[in-house]
Amino acid sequence: MVILWVLMALAMFSMVLLPVYRRRSTGIQLVTPDDPDAADPANYGFLRQEELDIRMPGPDEDLLNVLDMVQRTQDHRAASQLLAGTESEGETRWQRVQAFAGAASLELQQRPGGVSETPGGQWLRVWRAEAPKDAGGAAVHAEFLVQQAWRTSTPGTDDFRIIMEEARTACGDAALLSPGDPIPYIIELSVARGLGYSRPEFEKLWLKILDRAPSHMGAHLAALHYWCEKWHGSRETAQAFAEAAAARAPQGSLLAAMPLFAVFEHLPEVNLVRSFYQSEVVTKAVHGALYAVHAARPDDPMLAHVRHLLVCFLVRGERWSEAMDQLVHVDGHVGALPWTLSSDPASDYAIYRALAVAGYEANGGNPATLPH
């Protein structure tokens, strides 16, 4: 694939519309959508770029229905009921807390309020005022503060620290309302990263989570950030943390995919060596993630997260057929790494998807040969 990486760089920085690729003996080339030899993702049943849902990594119809109702009516009660009926130790509750908090934060960003306008996210403030003992509402409020800190201020500034300290207090309040619930402590992992907890302080917090939910994938991903080189650890520390989690993962746990996330967190900003994605470290991490995906329950809420990251690595490693297999399972929702790091997640995802389709067809694949 002579010009693959040049095309990827050009596409990611300059393309606005959905790119279309075609297969040729000389490699994968960028063409116009009306080219007769263009690879068309729609032939595989994939959604158009504008139809992709950027809010979540995978489907959760109950959450979407409740979120729509809450935002339409500004009544928090449906959200409270949904969280009350969601298992506290599971991944789904954590994702739903994040979703409600993110929705309130984005509403506030879009409608900050004024003399004659009610600020966005008012339903969350009402929720906390009307039901101060509601553990779900307390957790959503704590996560809302964390997201506000990262979204509206810069780490290291006074504004950031003030909001994070408020979030830390809110985490403590939420923990008191539900002693066995790991969610308040998982939220505090982000506070620990932002405020720069010492290692003993962080490890004390981490033990509280392990006591409550030792195999919680979302918690491990949040903790991994703290141990990364760009925050309070190193490449070696983060890799060791991820590999230890994978080694103790119970059968069927997606923790076996943790090393791939550690590799992703330490990818070079600019990489011109194509063989990097066929290197031993990357290959081992990819194989671990593929094993985790195959062994996991089909309804595991974290499964889509792993599949999305695999799409990125498999495309970069030119493993087209395997990338297509992951795309079949996740297409439609793109609210996951690595796409959410972009200002336009749907566009980035669509670029990788188009590359996977073109590479798959360049090697003899077609819609009839792709298993579903």
Side-chain angles (χ1 to χ4, degrees), residues 5 310-320 323 352 355-356:
W5 302 112
L310 273 169
V311 169
C312 172
F313 277 89
L314 292 170
V315 167
R316 292 185 181 187
E318 301 179 22
R319 297 169 64 167
W320 313 116
Y352 276 79
L355 281 165

Side-chain angles (χ1 to χ4, degrees), residues 25-282:
S25 58
T26 56
I28 298 175
Q29 297 186 343
L30 186 65
V31 297
T32 59
D34 58 353
D35 189 287
D37 199 28
D40 188 357
N43 292 337
Y44 296 83
F46 296 148
L47 295 183
R48 296 174 59 84
Q49 179 178 324
E50 58 269 25
E51 297 173 326
L52 296 170
D53 191 327
I54 65 173
R55 295 171 294 180
M56 297 187 303
D60 184 342
E61 290 305 317
D62 288 341
L63 172 61
L64 289 179
N65 291 336
V66 169
L67 197 52
D68 177 68
M69 181 185 301
V70 168
Q71 293 186 306
R72 181 165 34 83
T73 65
Q74 292 294 296
D75 188 335
H76 66 273
R77 286 175 293 182
S80 177
Q81 291 169 2
L82 182 64
L83 288 181
T86 306
E87 180 188 11
S88 62
E89 295 83 7
E91 307 282 354
T92 299
R93 181 179 173 86
W94 170 228
Q95 293 192 20
R96 288 174 173 177
V97 166
Q98 288 181 297
F100 286 129
S105 181
L106 285 172
E107 279 186 36
L108 183 58
Q109 183 181 40
Q110 294 164 359
R111 301 195 313 277
V115 177
S116 59
E117 182 185 42
T118 301
Q122 181 68 17
W123 53 269
L124 178 55
R125 286 181 285 275
V126 173
W127 187 356
R128 293 297 295 130
E130 292 183 351
K133 302 299 183 183
D134 185 331
V140 172
H141 178 240
E143 174 64 15
F144 166 80
L145 291 170
V146 166
Q147 294 195 27
Q148 280 294 100
W150 293 109
R151 181 172 282 121
T152 65
S153 52
T154 304
T157 63
D158 288 341
D159 287 346
F160 181 83
R161 178 166 289 276
I162 288 170
I163 302 174
M164 277 297 188
E165 290 289 359
E166 187 180 354
R168 185 178 190 174
T169 300
C171 288
D173 293 341
L176 289 174
L177 291 172
S178 183
D181 188 351
I183 301 301
Y185 300 104
I186 297 174
I187 297 170
E188 193 179 346
L189 290 173
S190 188
V191 177
R193 176 163 55 99
L195 293 181
Y197 282 21
S198 67
R199 291 197 175 189
E201 193 177 10
F202 183 86
E203 287 168 351
K204 182 179 179 181
L205 171 63
W206 182 238
L207 285 175
K208 292 179 181 178
I209 295 170
L210 292 183
D211 285 343
R212 291 163 175 80
S215 299
H216 200 289
M217 179 74 171
H220 280 79
L221 290 176
L224 177 65
H225 291 303
Y226 177 90
W227 296 117
C228 285
E229 188 174 61
K230 59 190 173 186
W231 287 104
H232 309 293
S234 65
R235 181 189 303 267
E236 294 73 23
T237 306
Q239 196 67 39
F241 173 81
E243 289 177 356
R248 66 171 183 269
Q251 180 64 31
S253 169
L254 286 165
L255 288 177
M258 283 297 298
L260 187 64
F261 286 87
V263 170
F264 175 74
E265 290 294 336
H266 294 90
L267 286 176
E269 290 187 12
V270 177
N271 175 58
L272 300 178
V273 182
R274 289 174 55 202
S275 62
F276 173 80
Y277 289 95
Q278 287 90 28
S279 66
E280 182 180 354
V281 172
V282 173

